Amino acid sequence: MINFLLISNQNDLSALNKFSPTVEVRTQKIKKWIRDNAHGLIMIDFATCGFTLASDLIRYTRMTLRNPRLSLWLICDECDNYHVDDDLLWPDRIVRVSELEHPALLAAITNELNKQFASQQMLQEQQLNVELISKVNQFNRRDLVVQASLTEFVSALDVFCQSTQTIIVKPSKSQLTPKLFQLDASRKLISLPTIPKNLTSLMDKIAHNDLPNILFPEQTRTQTTLVFPIMIFGERFCTVLCCVESDKADHLSVSKVKIIEEAAVQLRISLESLEAQRRMKFHYSRLKKTLTELHQTKSHLVHSEKMATVGRLAAGIAHEINNPLSIALGNFTPLNHYVDSMMTLINMHDELIENIHLQDNQSASEQLSKYKTDTNFDFIRDDLSAVIEDSKESLVRVRNIVADLRSFTNQNPTEIEQFSLFNACQDVLKLHSYSDHKQISFHNHIPNELQISTNRNQLLQAINHVLENAIEALEKTENPSIKLSANSDREKIVLTISDNGIGMSEEVVSHIFDPFYSTKSLTEGRGMGLSITYHLLTQLKADIKVVSQPNEGTNVVITFNVNSM
């Protein structure tokens, strides 16, 4: 509809009636019309409005509303005088009353109305373009719901193309036929059970279109179809089909197709960004789960290696436990004999006391003396305390060995405590003293007063792995010895474990902390001891360094940063 307002109450302007203008003279109604219409033609009759109202309406349009698009024409007689100093208050054209019936003026009015209509149509198209692009940009929101945003975009595309039917074709990996959705009157996507008959012949054509395209009607179709494929990383996410009546397809100009192509590019970028974020979140979730499983596996592996260490010490420890147990069990045989002899002697004393009362104490006294001689009672009395004390010491030794094992195998990775470094190392050395390495001399030169705050159990396990490697290096060494020493200052505590074994080459030292690296055969070791040691000390925020040369022994230096403990 062409917007044309005539402000006049004169009857001699009937020549303008052919344009069916809206006639109004009330100021409030006039200003409302001006506010409601961004485009159009306003003809102001100077004889009706006068200078004051005419200039006020022009000022209201140009300066208050800042609308340069409305065309303002002023109708004046030859004798009317309209003069203002401000150029903005001049009308776009002054028309004399004598010109109203002239064909040239009528043609000028027609051209102006057509120009205003075209300008209005262009503005509407621009608004539709902006709305279409804004729907694409919604795919960049953090709180994006893809289905809802896709529905909004398809709705905007439907309005943009003025389509009579809008269909979404989505490929299905599990089915041969694609899934179909239609935009209904309420602007919602509903599923379609079958392909509409008017689109059946299009399915093969749209399957190979990766860019927006217009399919013009054939003899069997009366509609023009706009094909809008939505691609993600080169794969088709879906295809939007907008069907337009063929006699109304002229509005699908080249500029509109260009806008749709630009929207397709922006939409593809947005959706690919979304898909990349989704994949990144998925891979992050998998990586996080894998990392958790890796930490759990590493924890189990550390404990498994600790149990393997206990197994390697088991033979020597079993021997150590067997000796005191044999002593304790062997003592029970004489102990039973001693108890029986003492019970018999007590009974004989009871008989002696009874016979004293019966004046027959001579024979009972002789029997008692003879029994003491026969059972060597003086020896029993002297040896009984020794047997009991010996058994007690043996059982206490067994208890201590078991306590040492339980302390070593305890799995508590989080406790931080302050303790004597000398005593901690002594506990590890004590375990090896139970084994068959008694020919090795262990020397603990760590100062008794040196205290350290860390996880005691993890530190014991790390030191034990180092000692095991040192013991293995001493198998063919004469006068084997292992020495532990330490020094400290305000910033660090340095523990050094030295042996006089066969040493290692630079190549072996460079790989010594690698998991599963071992210079032994597969049946002799898994190569995890020092790798686990490195892991444990890293958790304790400690550094480990190995200094070794072939045939010159090895020094393992463990440094604890006091400030990080």
Side-chain angles (χ1 to χ4, degrees):
M1 178 179 180
I2 302 176
N3 302 318
F4 183 13
L5 175 64
L6 175 61
I7 306 173
S8 175
N9 57 7
Q10 303 295 320
N11 294 325
D12 56 352
L13 304 179
S14 58
L16 301 177
N17 291 339
K18 63 175 294 186
F19 298 104
S20 302
T22 300
V23 181
E24 187 59 69
V25 295
R26 291 169 294 181
T27 303
Q28 290 184 351
K29 294 288 186 178
I30 293 172
K31 289 186 175 181
K32 183 180 184 303
W33 190 97
I34 295 174
R35 289 194 301 270
D36 293 342
N37 295 275
H39 295 82
L41 172 62
I42 302 176
M43 298 191 73
I44 305 172
D45 182 17
F46 189 81
T48 301
C49 299
F51 176 82
T52 301
L53 180 58
S55 61
D56 180 64
L57 292 176
I58 296 174
R59 179 184 294 104
Y60 180 75
T61 304
R62 296 289 189 251
M63 303 182 70
T64 303
L65 298 182
R66 297 182 181 277
N67 184 351
R69 293 177 295 275
L70 277 172
S71 185
L72 300 172
W73 291 13
L74 185 65
I75 303 174
C76 301
D77 282 329
E78 284 75 2
C79 59
D80 293 332
N81 182 22
Y82 184 86
H83 179 77
V84 289
D85 294 331
D86 192 340
D87 292 341
L88 290 177
L89 298 181
W90 277 95
D92 296 310
R93 178 169 180 170
I94 295 179
V95 178
R96 300 300 177 183
V97 175
S98 59
E99 300 179 72
L100 289 178
E101 295 184 3
H102 196 282
L105 178 64
L106 298 179
I109 294 175
T110 302
N111 291 337
E112 182 63 30
L113 291 176
N114 290 336
K115 184 180 75 172
Q116 290 290 330
F117 178 75
S119 179
Q120 182 179 356
Q121 290 293 101
M122 184 178 298
L123 179 62
Q124 290 177 349
E125 286 190 10
Q126 290 175 351
Q127 291 174 343
L128 290 175
N129 296 347
V130 171
E131 184 178 356
L132 181 65
I133 297 299
S134 68
K135 297 302 180 183
V136 175
N137 292 335
Q138 286 183 4
F139 282 82
N140 293 320
R141 296 200 314 259
R142 289 186 178 181
D143 58 343
L144 174 72
V145 178
V146 174
Q147 186 65 25
S149 294
L150 183 62
T151 302
E152 291 181 12
F153 173 77
V154 171
S155 178
L157 186 63
D158 177 79
V159 175
F160 182 80
C161 297
Q162 301 179 20
S163 61
T164 58
Q165 185 183 31
T166 300
I167 303 293
I168 294 179
V169 182
K170 195 167 186 179
S172 175
K173 294 181 179 179
S174 59
Q175 301 176 6
L176 295 177
T177 57
K179 296 180 180 179
L180 300 177
F181 301 90
Q182 182 175 2
L183 189 69
D184 64 4
S186 61
R187 299 295 174 184
K188 294 182 180 179
L189 293 178
I190 59 173
S191 178
L192 293 179
T194 58
I195 301 175
K197 292 182 179 179
N198 61 321
L199 298 178
T200 304
S201 59
L202 293 178
M203 289 298 106
D204 291 338
K205 293 184 177 181
I206 67 173
H208 302 93
N209 272 342
D210 295 339
L211 296 174
N213 189 22
I214 299 176
L215 300 180
F216 292 99
E218 299 175 356
Q219 294 180 355
T220 57
R221 298 202 314 271
T222 60
Q223 288 183 326
T224 298
T225 304
L226 176 65
V227 181
F228 187 89
I230 299 177
M231 311 295 291
I232 301 179
F233 293 119
E235 296 183 1
R236 188 182 303 273
F237 178 71
C238 67
T239 302
V240 182
L241 304 178
C242 295
C243 301
V244 182
E245 293 295 339
S246 296
D247 57 351
K248 298 180 180 180
D250 293 339
H251 72 278
L252 295 176
S253 61
V254 175
S255 61
K256 278 196 171 185
V257 175
K258 187 67 176 178
I259 288 293
I260 295 175
E261 289 179 351
E262 292 176 358
V265 173
Q266 292 192 34
L267 183 61
R268 176 181 58 79
I269 294 173
S270 299
L271 287 178
E272 287 181 353
S273 176
L274 250 180
E275 179 64 14
Q277 293 178 23
R278 186 194 68 79
R279 293 181 183 181
M280 184 174 66
K281 289 180 180 179
F282 172 74
H283 290 304
Y284 171 77
S285 177
R286 288 188 58 185
L287 183 62
K288 187 176 180 181
K289 181 180 178 182
T290 303
L291 188 60
T292 301
E293 293 175 351
L294 181 61
H295 282 310
Q296 292 174 350
T297 303
K298 184 179 289 185
S299 177
H300 293 321
L301 187 59
V302 168
H303 192 64
S304 173
E305 186 68 18
K306 185 192 297 183
M307 293 298 100
T309 300
V310 174
R312 291 190 288 270
L313 295 173
I317 292 175
H319 179 69
E320 284 295 318
I321 292 177
N322 188 55
N323 285 342
L325 283 179
S326 297
I327 294 173
L329 292 173
N331 285 340
F332 277 101
T333 300
L335 190 59
N336 286 336
H337 174 66
Y338 296 163
V339 171
D340 290 342
S341 299
M342 292 180 67
M343 293 301 296
T344 302
L345 186 60
I346 291 171
N347 292 335
M348 294 178 69
H349 270 281
D350 291 341
E351 292 177 4
L352 175 61
I353 293 172
E354 184 179 354
N355 290 334
I356 290 175
H357 292 291
L358 298 175
Q359 302 298 321
D360 188 17
N361 56 358
Q362 182 66 32
S363 59
S365 177
E366 291 176 356
Q367 291 178 2
L368 181 61
S369 177
K370 184 177 183 302
Y371 183 79
K372 284 183 176 181
T373 302
D374 293 342
T375 59
N376 197 7
F377 187 76
D378 291 337
F379 173 78
I380 291 176
R381 182 178 57 194
D382 294 338
D383 192 45
L384 180 60
S385 297
V387 169
I388 293 174
E389 187 63 28
D390 193 27
S391 298
K392 180 180 178 181
E393 290 179 357
S394 298
L395 293 176
V396 168
R397 180 169 175 77
V398 171
R399 182 192 65 185
N400 291 339
I401 293 174
V402 173
D404 290 340
L405 275 176
R406 290 184 63 184
S407 174
F408 182 77
T409 57
N410 179 41
Q411 190 175 18
N412 191 350
T414 59
E415 284 190 3
I416 302 296
E417 56 182 313
Q418 187 176 36
F419 54 90
S420 167
L421 184 58
F422 172 85
N423 292 337
C425 292
Q426 196 65 24
D427 288 344
V428 183
L429 294 177
K430 193 186 300 181
L431 278 176
H432 289 281
S433 69
Y434 301 142
S435 64
D436 56 353
H437 307 308
K438 295 182 180 179
Q439 71 275 15
I440 299 176
S441 299
F442 294 99
H443 306 282
N444 189 351
H445 297 310
I446 299 173
N448 289 328
E449 68 278 3
L450 182 56
Q451 298 287 312
I452 188 170
S453 295
T454 187
N455 185 295
R456 189 177 191 276
N457 182 257
Q458 288 187 345
L459 178 58
L460 292 183
Q461 190 173 351
I463 293 173
N464 180 72
H465 285 308
V466 175
L467 288 176
E468 280 195 327
N469 279 269
I471 291 171
E472 291 174 357
L474 294 170
E475 289 179 353
K476 300 179 181 180
T477 302
E478 295 183 2
N479 302 318
S481 67
I482 295 176
K483 182 177 71 173
L484 282 72
S485 59
N487 59 77
S488 64
D489 54 31
R490 293 182 178 180
E491 297 182 354
K492 61 183 180 297
I493 297 174
V494 181
L495 170 64
T496 304
I497 302 175
S498 305
D499 68 70
N500 60 346
I502 60 175
M504 293 176 286
S505 65
E506 290 185 6
E507 182 180 359
V508 173
V509 171
S510 65
H511 295 286
I512 196 170
F513 297 119
D514 295 347
F516 305 106
Y517 178 80
S518 176
T519 57
K520 299 177 290 185
S521 65
L522 293 177
T523 58
E524 293 178 323
R526 293 181 296 176
M528 291 298 296
L530 289 179
S531 174
I532 291 175
T533 299
Y534 182 85
H535 165 70
L536 292 171
L537 292 176
T538 300
Q539 286 187 330
L540 299 178
K541 295 183 172 57
D543 297 323
I544 181 171
K545 180 181 179 182
V546 176
V547 180
S548 183
Q549 291 291 334
N551 303 317
E552 293 185 9
T554 300
N555 292 328
V556 178
V557 182
I558 302 173
T559 304
F560 301 89
N561 190 337
V562 175
N563 296 327
S564 64
M565 296 170 62

